[in-house]
Amino acid sequence: MNFAPHLERLRLLRPVRGRLAAALLCMGAGVLIQLGFPRAIAWLIDHAEQLRQTGIPPHLVLAMLGAAILLALVSALRFYLFQSASQHIVTRLRRQLFDILIRQPIGFFDRHHVGELTSRLHGDVMSLHESLTVGAAHVLRSLCVFGGGAAMLLSLSPLLSLPLALFIPASLYLGKRSGNSYRERAREVQASLADSGKVAQEHFANVRLVHAFNQQRGASARYESATARALAAALSNARLLSTFQGLMSLLLYLALISTLCFGAWLIGQGRLSVGELTAFIIYATMVTEAANALTDFWGSWMRTLGATDRVFELLRLAPRDEGGAQPPSLSGRIVFENVGFRYPQRPAQAALEGVNLALAAGETVALVGPSGAGKSTIANLLLGHYAPGQGRILFDGFDAATLAPAALRRHVAVVEQEPALFSGSIADNIRFAVPEREVTQDEVEAAARRAQAHDFILAFPDGYDTVVGERGVQLSGGQKQRIAIARAMLRDPAILILDEATSALDAASETLVQAGLDQLMQGRTTIVIAHRLSTIVSADRILVLAGGRIRQQGSHAELLREKDGPYAELMRHQLAQYGRLDAPLAAA
Ligand code: ATP
């Protein structure tokens, strides 16, 4: 038997060991009191005649009452201590898992769906709650009751204990057999729950698209089929469990009936009193219940083991090595030396090949080219989301591979195509750019002013404290972009990556966004994934990419001179389609 998975989970108990020790004390006290009761009952029955004449002695009544109150107290305390220990463990585990996941390289998120990860974080971790402490408490209590009860049974009548001696090993054996099959099925249930989480998350996140294409029914059908597998696995587990329960109940009653018959015969022989048989039956019930609890626990423990297998696999993921040198400060010079790259998920296709490029500090470069040309891949490599497969990228002469990614990213800021805002205030969203230190309100406002966002923010009744995101104010595309610009402004990076929005804003909004961007780009090396001709034309240099290679580079005027070049082709296409320069650039 492999003990590692058991030990791995039991180690989670370490931080709450004080609480657990106190809970165990309460439990021990409770079991002792409980074990005393049947003896008291036996005494009362066998002395019924005598008590009828003298009455029950008051000290006995008081002692029993005191025991009942003490039992209630220790039970309540035990329950609270075990429950709270379990909640602490689950929360701590969730935090630990989130910590590890959020630090994974971007490639990890290409392989794992967010819905699946959320389901692991919540559902899978929760399954530990029941079995790890509440279940473990139950099992310890059952062990004590089992041991104490068995001792009482033997002291009352070793002969009468024989039927139970047959029943208990049989029930423990059955429990172990079924526990092993639970584990596999639980893993399957959890995997299919994660799958259905993925489907739900995807459809909720894209609910507008679902409605726009009248796909509500399709969405429900997809969710239904995703949940069908979880249902089938859970039902098969339930079938196994019910067969097991049925068999256990049969064995239990056979054992009790034979004990009763045998006990009645012993009373007839004068070898046992009625009180003793009553106490024996009560102890026998306690012992069989405890044995049942032990086998039940084994089943639920194995289910938990299966359900949390994936969680522990994720916990074992090495946190990303954030080692590397800290560049002193960067001026923004960037060199690509024969850079080649393939996404880990698509090793057969080169996303970039033989890219050579040298950007001077402060230069603005527009990346253009058809969809899939490799523009975003260049941005991804600059941000250190992936490392180049061939060649190297140098920042101010430092090889990116030798620099700490976090230190490098401190000098880079991104303004995304569809800026993402977190639920929180506008000020929090701008402050998001600088995690290393406290940012003052003045700094936030100064950044917003330069990003042309200050006025519209103040127009909200709550100003900078306006809550945005899912449960807050919905901002227009242009407003979101200006907040993203303010965010980048606050970061004050040497290198700026702009992913221009493809959708056109209205003229007024466009002017404001452009003014914000102009401010932001001043004095920084800027790489624009350009979709607007006006941006392209005003760039210091244009790189025309296709199929992961640089096909042409130069200024607008230089590139146009090559009449049959890809750039001239792109321009002809643009003018033919829109007849103007400021329209979004059509994908060629
Ligand atoms: P677009 O203008 O459509 O955004 P792009 O020029 O930015 O295109 P990239 O996103 O750089 O193109 O993509 C280059 C190639 O890499 C494409 O073939 C694309 O399918 C592939 N690719 C992009 N991202 C990934 C990823 N995360 N995993 C696997 N392949 C990817």
Side-chain angles (χ1 to χ4, degrees):
M1 183 163 162
N2 177 15
F3 289 106
H6 303 275
L7 291 178
E8 198 170 35
R9 283 147 184 88
L10 289 177
R11 264 198 288 276
L12 296 172
L13 298 175
R14 204 180 289 162
V16 289
R17 55 184 180 273
R19 213 175 270 259
L20 287 180
L24 287 178
L25 269 180
C26 291
M27 195 182 74
V31 170
L32 278 182
I33 298 171
Q34 274 178 307
L35 284 173
F37 270 111
R39 278 290 193 179
I41 293 170
W43 189 87
L44 285 173
I45 292 176
D46 289 343
H47 294 78
E49 194 52 35
Q50 181 192 333
L51 292 175
R52 204 157 55 88
Q53 287 152 23
T54 59
I56 302 179
H59 67 271
L60 195 65
V61 176
L62 273 181
M64 288 201 290
L65 210 61
I69 293 173
L70 191 61
L71 182 61
L73 280 178
V74 291
S75 303
L77 201 58
R78 183 202 71 209
F79 186 78
Y80 173 74
L81 287 168
F82 276 124
Q83 280 284 341
S84 60
S86 151
Q87 297 294 355
H88 276 289
I89 290 173
V90 166
T91 310
R92 175 186 273 266
L93 186 65
R94 249 181 216 147
R95 290 177 181 162
Q96 204 180 340
L97 187 59
F98 182 82
D99 241 30
I100 289 183
L101 292 179
I102 203 77
R103 281 175 174 68
Q104 290 307 306
I106 295 299
F108 172 86
F109 295 92
D110 288 343
R111 296 192 300 279
H112 297 271
H113 193 281
V114 271
E116 181 211 319
L117 295 176
T118 324
S119 154
R120 301 284 177 207
L121 201 57
H122 289 105
D124 293 16
V125 169
M126 199 56 200
S127 62
L128 272 172
H129 164 69
E130 275 306 312
S131 61
L132 197 59
T133 51
V134 182
H138 202 51
V139 88
L140 285 174
R141 199 177 146 269
S142 305
L143 273 176
C144 295
V145 171
F146 187 81
M152 292 293 195
L153 287 175
L154 288 172
S155 76
L156 277 168
S157 167
L159 206 58
L160 198 53
S161 312
L162 273 178
L164 291 175
L166 290 175
F167 158 75
I168 290 163
S171 84
L172 291 177
Y173 171 75
L174 270 179
K176 186 175 176 323
R177 284 283 313 262
S178 51
N180 293 346
S181 19
Y182 289 151
R183 182 172 176 188
E184 259 319 294
R185 288 166 212 223
R187 203 184 151 99
E188 202 179 313
V189 170
Q190 253 15 66
S192 33
L193 282 181
D195 270 354
S196 43
K198 186 158 82 182
V199 173
Q201 196 271 345
E202 219 165 57
H203 285 88
F204 287 142
N206 298 309
V207 69
R208 285 184 177 74
L209 193 71
V210 172
H211 280 239
F213 283 96
N214 284 337
Q215 272 291 352
Q216 293 91 325
R217 202 172 289 175
S220 297
R222 273 188 287 278
Y223 190 67
E224 201 177 304
S225 77
T227 44
R229 196 157 69 89
L231 181 67
L235 286 183
S236 121
N237 235 349
R239 277 192 292 274
L240 188 72
L241 195 65
S242 27
T243 314
F244 170 70
Q245 293 284 344
L247 275 176
M248 289 292 288
S249 155
L250 179 68
L251 276 176
L252 171 70
Y253 277 90
L254 285 178
L256 278 181
I257 290 167
S258 35
T259 307
L260 263 180
C261 298
F262 193 30
W265 182 77
L266 286 176
I267 291 175
Q269 299 272 309
R271 290 159 70 180
L272 199 70
S273 73
V274 177
E276 280 171 334
L277 179 62
T278 317
F280 193 95
I281 294 292
I282 299 176
Y283 282 126
T285 320
M286 283 168 113
V287 167
T288 47
E289 265 175 12
N292 263 344
L294 290 178
T295 50
D296 272 0
F297 172 76
W298 187 248
S300 96
W301 178 245
M302 291 311 266
R303 273 199 300 277
T304 305
L305 231 55
T308 49
D309 271 349
R310 284 289 296 144
V311 170
F312 281 86
E313 274 168 41
L314 292 173
L315 282 176
R316 277 191 289 274
L317 287 175
R320 189 174 190 192
D321 179 18
E322 291 282 293
Q326 311 271 334
S329 77
L330 296 181
S331 68
R333 272 189 300 123
I334 304 172
V335 173
F336 275 58
E337 271 182 12
N338 199 26
V339 169
F341 177 71
R342 288 161 196 263
Y343 282 96
Q345 294 300 91
R346 293 178 75 182
Q349 191 210 347
L352 286 183
E353 237 177 341
V355 173
N356 285 299
L357 178 67
L359 304 187
E363 193 178 0
T364 300
V365 173
L367 303 181
V368 300
S371 183
K375 306 181 290 289
S376 310
T377 306
I378 290 190
N380 279 335
L381 293 185
L382 282 173
L383 279 163
H385 288 330
Y386 303 90
Q390 286 113 43
R392 43 184 207 153
I393 303 176
L394 305 165
F395 291 89
D396 276 23
F398 297 105
D399 184 346
T402 64
L403 297 177
L408 179 60
R409 288 189 197 124
R410 213 161 285 151
H411 302 281
V412 187
V414 212
V415 178
E416 301 166 284
Q417 200 172 73
E418 300 279 338
L421 298 183
F422 286 91
S423 35
S425 72
I426 292 183
D428 290 342
N429 268 289
I430 298 177
R431 278 200 189 98
F432 190 77
V434 183
E436 303 89 15
R437 61 177 176 90
E438 275 296 311
V439 176
T440 65
Q441 183 67 16
D442 285 348
E443 285 179 277
V444 170
E445 290 188 18
R449 260 197 201 94
R450 294 183 62 203
Q452 312 294 321
H454 184 70
D455 293 341
F456 90 77
I457 295 172
L458 282 194
F460 291 122
D462 293 331
Y464 281 85
D465 295 328
T466 305
V467 173
V468 290
E470 250 164 46
R471 260 172 260 134
V473 171
Q474 298 296 326
L475 299 178
S476 75
Q479 289 171 334
K480 276 193 208 163
Q481 276 176 23
R482 280 180 277 157
I483 288 182
I485 294 168
R487 186 151 71 185
M489 194 84 81
L490 189 62
R491 195 166 175 84
D492 192 20
I495 299 162
L496 187 66
I497 297 171
L498 296 181
D499 196 351
E500 252 186 352
T502 38
S503 53
L505 298 171
D506 64 77
S509 191
E510 179 70 52
T511 315
L512 287 169
V513 169
Q514 197 52 54
L517 282 176
D518 289 346
Q519 284 274 331
L520 178 63
M521 288 157 69
Q522 266 171 30
R524 308 180 207 278
T525 309
T526 309
I527 295 100
V528 197
I529 300 177
H531 295 289
R532 249 164 255 292
L533 215 45
S534 48
T535 315
I536 299 169
V537 172
S538 60
D540 296 324
R541 191 162 18 143
I542 301 159
L543 294 184
V544 187
L545 288 162
R549 289 178 171 277
I550 299 179
R551 301 288 170 186
Q552 249 185 328
Q553 59 176 304
S555 69
H556 176 68
E558 284 163 5
L559 293 181
L560 276 186
R561 261 179 243 134
E562 241 182 88
K563 292 219 164 29
D564 297 326
Y567 187 72
E569 173 62 27
L570 210 63
M571 290 302 114
R572 275 197 291 278
H573 194 268
Q574 174 76 7
L575 285 171
Q577 192 154 2
Y578 295 102
R580 61 191 178 97
L581 288 185
D582 59 345
L585 186 67

